[in-house]
Amino acid sequence: MRHGVPKIAALGRALNMLEAVIRDGGHSSVAAIARTIDMPVATAHRQVATLVEQGYLAVSGVRRHIAGPRLLDMLFKLDQKQVIASCAAPVLHQLAVECGLVVQLGTLENDMVTYRLKAGQGEASLFTRVGMQLEAYCSGLGKVLLAYLPENELRAYLGTGPFPPLTAQTITNPDAIANELAKVRKQGFAIDQEEVSDGLVCVAVPIIGPDGRAVVAISTSKPRLASCQFQEMLPALKAAAAEIERRAFGSWACRDGKIPNFD
């Protein structure tokens, strides 16, 4: 066991075939798909036949295949945002230790930020908690999640006002909020400068999904720290976001082609 738990090569090849068929979307024959992944055609046919028998693939046309009922049933049972949160947990815990700040992960539900992860020194001193919801327009996490919405969805959100102030710093005018979100999207991060709670500053960055949306956002925060100190945290925060994207979506999602090592 010098090199760890031994791998099952046949299972790895079958999973590669399953992924290739799903990506193909029923356009190509098994033989054609096998050639794209450098697999013997006879092996590919056996694997596909087994996956069809088990319900992970279904026949669609002559020698064409698509996702099967068993696979679709599994997908419906998945909470994509929670899967991403699970991928993010070890990365965020390490980031919290390294930066000495509170790190949080949030998603957007019904126009509100839902906190799904929270870690770091001093986390008990912050009023947020896992499962809690907070207004999106004034929080760092919320600004990032709103900024990456499709234009029609963002317009609909901005029409749901009024947006009550939580502090004297809260941006409440819909046009001003729209301008702030445009700035967030352009620069790739958001800062909550005491807009949710007096003395609390937060910087947040998006986790970008395959469709270009920010399915999830992560942030660092701590009371009574200057915003310039949080901007110094941006490289580490962005590196953590890139690693979470790699773990959740694949290596194509990494920013600037750089994959930091969090293992």
Side-chain angles (χ1 to χ4, degrees), residues 49-248:
T50 303
L51 290 167
V52 169
E53 182 183 29
Q54 294 296 318
Y56 291 103
L57 290 177
V59 178
S60 174
V62 181
R63 292 192 295 275
R64 304 295 192 269
H65 298 82
I66 57 174
R70 191 170 179 183
L71 183 61
L72 293 173
D73 181 61
M74 292 172 63
L75 292 175
F76 284 126
K77 292 176 180 176
L78 288 176
D79 177 348
Q80 183 199 30
K81 294 175 181 178
Q82 192 56 47
V83 170
I84 298 169
S86 298
C87 292
V91 179
L92 292 188
H93 281 289
Q94 182 172 337
L95 177 64
V97 170
E98 291 178 352
C99 72
L101 301 176
V102 176
V103 178
Q104 301 185 102
L105 178 148
T107 59
L108 194 65
E109 268 83 42
N110 300 318
D111 295 339
M112 303 282 285
V113 175
T114 298
Y115 288 84
R116 294 189 179 232
L117 286 176
K118 183 179 180 182
Q121 183 178 1
E123 63 173 294
S125 65
L126 290 184
F127 64 91
T128 56
R129 65 183 185 278
V130 173
M132 173 183 173
Q133 288 197 312
L134 185 67
E135 297 288 355
Y137 61 91
C138 50
S139 63
L141 290 172
K143 288 182 185 182
V144 167
L145 294 166
L146 291 172
Y148 283 81
L149 286 177
E151 187 176 347
N152 62 324
E153 293 184 29
L154 180 55
R155 279 200 307 268
Y157 173 83
L158 293 172
T160 63
F163 301 99
L166 301 188
T167 72
Q169 306 301 320
T170 308
I171 302 172
T172 60
N173 179 274
D175 290 336
I177 293 173
N179 290 337
E180 173 75 1
L181 297 179
K183 176 183 174 183
V184 168
R185 179 145 189 167
K186 181 178 180 180
Q187 66 190 14
F189 65 91
I191 292 182
D192 157 21
Q193 182 73 49
E194 300 186 64
E195 296 172 54
V196 170
S197 179
D198 290 325
L200 180 65
V201 180
C202 163
V203 61
V205 299
I207 304 299
I208 306 296
D211 58 359
R213 295 177 64 156
V215 223
V216 167
I218 60 174
S219 69
T220 58
S221 54
K222 192 173 184 180
R224 293 178 296 279
L225 253 68
S227 60
C228 61
Q229 293 175 283
F230 279 95
Q231 292 191 52
E232 293 173 0
M233 286 303 306
L234 270 174
L237 195 59
K238 288 183 175 180
E243 173 65 5
I244 293 167
E245 289 172 358
R246 183 187 73 82
R247 295 186 181 205

